[in-house]
Amino acid sequence: MKQFFFSRIKSLALALLLLSQTVFCSDQTFKKITYEPVTYAPTKVLVKRADQTTVKLPEKPAIYAVIQTTQGDLVVELYDTAAPKTVQNFIDLAQGEKEFRTEKGSERRPFYDGLKFHRVIENFMAQGGCPRGDGTGGPGFQFEDEINGKALGLDKLKVKDAPQYQAQLQRAVLSEFNIKSRQEFEEKRTEVEKAYQEAMELPVLEVLYRVGYRFNEVVPSKKATRGALAMANAGPNSNGSQFFINQVDTPHLDGLHTVFGFLIIGYDVLDRIIEKGNLQTTIRKVLILDKRQ
């Protein structure tokens, strides 16, 4: 009996030691910064075809896109310096200068002509660019995000002060503990809750980095404000052809979506598109006008 008693004490002490080491590792894990920027080389956007329009454009030197729809024209300024690779992709798809894949095989034609705004949400945004019309389609390829998290201030913003990023914070913590079920969570509840509180002190940039988002420190990224034109995606580095235009500010999307343009003319058109509902507005054509000096 005495030997059994000391054996139990020894086992308990070992368990406590392992637990303390686990918590200690957790402490260290969520007190250090692991973020590193990706290597990024900016490119110059090329407009390969000169489109024509009767729409009066702003005097500001820039690249403009006129998105002709059944509700009227949307005029957007394309951010060729803030997101050059994304802008190039949009221009080339719009002008038929880039090959894409469909169920029929490879095609090269103006991609957006005839597509609908398939997802519109009042007081949020209007989304288009899906060839299937249900949000699951694309051009048959994906490309990386083009975001400078520091330019958006995400390195200075603590996640505890940004409740819109709580979902990403939870993912980061659960991933660190490799929790995949409710039972596993219950078994590690104390450790997880402690780590969660510690992780609340991390910058948003670090939390997003831990769940797979990658950022450069070169481009002057823009926030997802009212009028922002941004890429829709299914997570980090999953951009294709789908885009959305904000009807309101969406700070919860900063750092998650590449903003590559801004609505200059047509806020009334955007409102009508959203008022009409899903799949009720068709893109007739996208014209690209290069007014850079």
Side-chain angles (χ1 to χ4, degrees):
M1 177 67 71
K2 185 175 181 180
Q3 183 177 3
F4 174 75
F5 175 77
F6 282 113
S7 176
R8 291 293 302 273
I9 292 294
K10 184 176 181 181
S11 298
L12 179 60
L14 179 59
L16 290 173
L17 176 61
L18 290 174
L19 177 61
S20 66
Q21 287 179 337
T22 301
V23 174
F24 176 77
C25 289
S26 170
D27 288 348
Q28 295 304 306
T29 295
F30 290 102
K31 287 183 178 178
K32 66 182 181 181
I33 301 298
T34 62
Y35 160 76
E36 292 183 0
V38 295
T39 301
Y40 178 88
T43 58
K44 181 176 176 58
V45 173
L46 300 176
V47 179
K48 301 170 185 175
R49 191 181 73 232
D51 291 330
Q52 302 296 322
T53 182
T54 58
V55 175
K56 184 174 175 56
L57 299 175
E59 293 299 323
K60 178 183 176 182
I63 302 175
Y64 296 94
V66 178
I67 304 174
Q68 299 176 332
T69 82
T70 50
Q71 300 301 328
D73 294 340
L74 299 165
V75 180
V76 297
E77 176 188 341
L78 298 178
Y79 291 149
D80 61 302
T81 57
K85 297 175 184 178
T86 307
V87 168
Q88 189 72 67
N89 176 75
F90 180 80
I91 291 174
D92 288 345
L93 284 176
Q95 293 194 319
E97 296 290 340
K98 189 170 189 175
E99 190 173 89
F100 59 90
R101 291 186 295 278
T102 67
E103 289 80 359
K104 301 176 182 178
S106 296
E107 296 188 46
R108 186 188 291 265
R109 57 176 169 77
F111 180 88
Y112 294 109
D113 295 9
L115 300 188
K116 297 180 181 294
F117 281 92
H118 63 276
R119 180 171 179 251
V120 301
I121 302 175
E122 188 176 1
N123 293 319
F124 186 12
M125 58 85 216
Q127 184 173 331
C130 174
R132 293 178 181 170
D134 60 4
T136 66
F141 60 81
Q142 294 184 337
F143 64 96
E144 66 277 7
D145 298 321
E146 202 169 10
I147 307 171
N148 181 344
K150 288 190 173 182
L152 299 175
L154 300 181
D155 58 324
K156 305 298 183 184
L157 178 63
K158 288 190 176 182
V159 74
K160 69 177 181 180
D161 299 320
Q164 64 268 32
Y165 293 102
Q166 288 302 305
Q168 287 80 20
L169 176 62
Q170 292 173 11
R171 283 175 54 199
V173 174
L174 295 179
S175 176
E176 190 65 40
F177 284 90
N178 197 31
I179 291 177
K180 299 178 181 177
S181 69
R182 182 71 183 182
Q183 180 180 350
E184 291 178 346
F185 172 76
E186 292 298 339
E187 291 172 354
K188 300 179 181 179
R189 175 185 286 272
T190 301
E191 299 167 63
V192 172
E193 290 180 347
K194 180 177 174 58
Y196 184 83
Q197 291 303 315
E198 292 163 355
M200 291 278 282
E201 298 296 327
L202 289 174
V204 170
L205 185 68
E206 173 66 19
V207 172
L208 295 184
Y209 181 79
R210 287 178 182 237
V211 297
Y213 289 91
R214 295 296 177 260
F215 305 96
N216 68 74
E217 296 183 1
V218 179
V219 296
S221 290
K222 310 293 185 181
K223 290 181 176 291
T225 58
R226 177 174 182 263
L229 169 67
M231 292 301 294
N233 59 43
N237 300 319
S238 60
N239 304 293
S241 59
Q242 294 191 42
F243 64 88
F244 62 90
I245 303 175
N246 273 351
Q247 190 180 33
V248 298
D249 292 352
T250 56
H252 62 288
L253 301 183
D254 287 341
L256 307 181
H257 298 266
T258 301
V259 174
F260 68 100
F262 192 79
L263 183 63
I264 302 298
I265 301 171
Y267 282 89
D268 58 330
V269 175
L270 176 63
D271 292 343
R272 284 200 298 273
I273 292 172
I274 293 175
E275 182 181 355
K276 290 290 183 180
N278 294 343
L279 298 170
Q280 298 306 304
T281 301
T282 301
I283 297 173
R284 288 173 169 160
K285 195 163 193 62
V286 179
L287 303 174
I288 305 298
L289 295 308
D290 189 354
K291 290 190 62 178
R292 294 174 296 180
Q293 294 178 340

